[in-house]
């Protein structure tokens, strides 16, 4: 049996578990993100959607709160998936996108309420976790 080794010397990428039922509720059943969060409070994608909707409506503090909640729920999930506080969290893995979107939303909302240090920390964390997500989400 052969094991894959990360030749760059860093930790292996972390892949969060998929939640097909939550995706189904959002897509096929068209449930609002708030209802999905009520059923699946650890599903960061729904928190990210709430953060984006609130920000677009000018409710920046509410956006900040949603993004922070989804970010922390995502950190908990990452740790349960073996993440040790650093290393790649690939954007290409669908289940990682909710956490990465919450991280970007938190940076955006922190910047909007003049929390400069937190905004910079979040942007750097996003870039360090997934350069692809950083590029994708800075356009949004």
């Amino acid at each position: 049996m052969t094991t894959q080794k990360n030749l760059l010397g860093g930790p292996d990428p972390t892949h969060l578990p998929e939640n097909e039922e939550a995706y189904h509720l959002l897509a096929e059943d068209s449930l609002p993100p708030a209802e999905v969060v009520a059923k699946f409070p650890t599903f960061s994608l729904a928190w990210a959607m709430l953060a984006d909707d609130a920000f677009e409506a000018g409710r920046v503090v509410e956006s900040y709160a949603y993004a922070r909640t989804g970010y922390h729920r995502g950190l908990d999930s990452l740790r349960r998936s073996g993440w040790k506080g650093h290393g790649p969290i690939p954007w290409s893995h669908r289940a990682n996108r909710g956490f990465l979107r919450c991280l970007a939303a938190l940076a955006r909302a922190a910047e909007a309420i003049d929390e400069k240090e937190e905004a910079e920390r979040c942007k750097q964390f996003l870039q360090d976790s997934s350069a692809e997500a950083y590029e994708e989400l800075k356009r949004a």
Side-chain angles (χ1 to χ4, degrees):
M1 177 177 181
T2 347
T3 359
Q4 296 283 330
K5 183 176 182 207
N6 184 335
L7 299 177
L8 298 176
D12 290 330
T14 302
H15 297 99
L16 291 171
E18 295 283 355
N19 185 332
E20 293 301 331
E21 189 175 351
Y23 286 116
H24 179 83
L25 292 174
L26 283 173
E28 276 91 73
D29 292 352
S30 301
L31 245 59
E35 289 184 38
V36 175
V37 161
K39 292 179 182 300
F40 298 101
T42 62
F43 189 60
S44 291
L45 178 60
W47 288 108
M49 294 168 78
L50 288 168
D52 289 347
D53 290 348
F55 194 85
E56 288 171 15
R59 300 186 319 270
V60 177
V61 172
E62 189 178 320
S63 176
Y64 180 90
Y66 286 137
R68 180 163 281 291
T69 301
Y71 163 79
H72 280 288
R73 298 311 293 260
L75 283 177
D76 293 342
S77 294
L78 283 166
R79 288 183 186 111
R80 281 192 301 275
S81 296
W83 186 73
K84 303 289 188 220
H86 66 286
I89 304 167
W91 174 255
S92 59
H93 181 66
R94 178 177 74 157
N96 291 351
R97 290 184 179 194
F99 169 76
L100 295 166
R101 282 183 55 183
C102 282
L103 185 53
L106 184 56
R108 178 188 61 207
E111 192 168 62
I113 62 171
D114 211 27
E115 283 282 340
K116 290 181 176 78
E117 287 179 21
E118 182 174 29
E120 287 307 311
R121 246 188 339 268
C122 290
K123 287 178 191 175
Q124 190 62 56
F125 184 12
L126 180 61
Q127 192 169 25
D128 292 346
S129 299
S130 172
E132 185 181 4
Y134 181 80
E135 288 302 316
E136 181 72 26
L137 295 171
K138 77 177 186 181
R139 288 183 241 150

